[in-house]
Amino acid sequence: MVPFASVDEYEARYGDADDPEALAEILMDATRLIASAFDRAGLDFRDPGEDLAERLMQACRSMAHRAMGDDADIPLGTTQFSEGAGSYTQSFTVGNPYGELYVSKAERKLLGLDRTRIGFAVPGGAS
C-alpha cells in the first residue's frame, strides 16, 4: 500500500520534519487506519478520483501532525495551559500525550465517513 501522503507533502504543509524516517512510518500507519475506516464503512478508496485523493492526503497529513507532536513552548495538542509569574509556575494538559493516531470527527467528515446509519433491533427475536 502506498501512503496517502508523502513526507514532501507533509513538509509542504507543516515544515521540515525532525525525523523524516519516523514521519514516513507515521504516514503509513495513518494510511492503514484510514483504509480500515473505509473498509468498515463499506466504502471504496482504492482508485480515488482527484478530489478524494486530495482529501485522503489532507487527512493523512493532519493525523501524522497530531501524532508527531511539536517542540514549541506550548506542546501541540495542549487542551489546558496555565502560567504564573511570582515563583514561576507553568502547567499543561495534553490531549494526545502518547501521540496515538486516530481519525478525528473533522477528518471523518472530510472523508465522507460520518454518514449516519439507521437501524433497529428486535429484542427477543422477530415474531
Side-chain angles (χ1 to χ4, degrees):
M1 177 179 281
V2 176
F4 294 138
S6 68
V7 170
D8 289 341
E9 289 169 327
Y10 176 92
E11 290 179 337
R13 171 66 174 90
Y14 296 107
D16 291 342
D18 292 336
D19 188 347
E21 290 179 14
L23 173 58
E25 287 297 319
I26 290 171
L27 290 168
M28 191 69 242
D29 290 347
T31 296
R32 287 187 195 103
L33 194 59
I34 293 169
S36 175
F38 268 84
D39 287 341
R40 280 192 313 279
L43 299 172
D44 187 22
F45 63 91
R46 286 168 179 77
D47 189 21
E50 186 177 335
D51 181 57
L52 179 56
E54 288 289 320
R55 289 183 285 132
L56 288 166
M57 185 262 301
Q58 180 181 345
C60 189
R61 287 188 317 193
S62 175
M63 291 170 64
H65 186 62
R66 204 170 33 247
M68 290 290 286
D70 195 4
D71 292 333
D73 291 336
I74 300 175
L76 178 71
T78 298
T79 59
Q80 184 177 359
F81 170 75
S82 67
E83 188 174 68
S87 108
Y88 192 74
T89 299
Q90 186 176 31
S91 66
F92 302 95
T93 301
V94 181
N96 188 13
Y98 303 109
E100 295 293 323
L101 283 170
Y102 60 91
V103 183
S104 72
K105 287 182 181 181
E107 291 154 353
R108 293 184 66 77
K109 187 173 184 176
L110 173 72
L111 297 171
L113 295 171
D114 64 339
R115 296 180 180 146
T116 304
R117 294 184 184 190
I118 299 173
F120 67 93
V122 178
S127 31

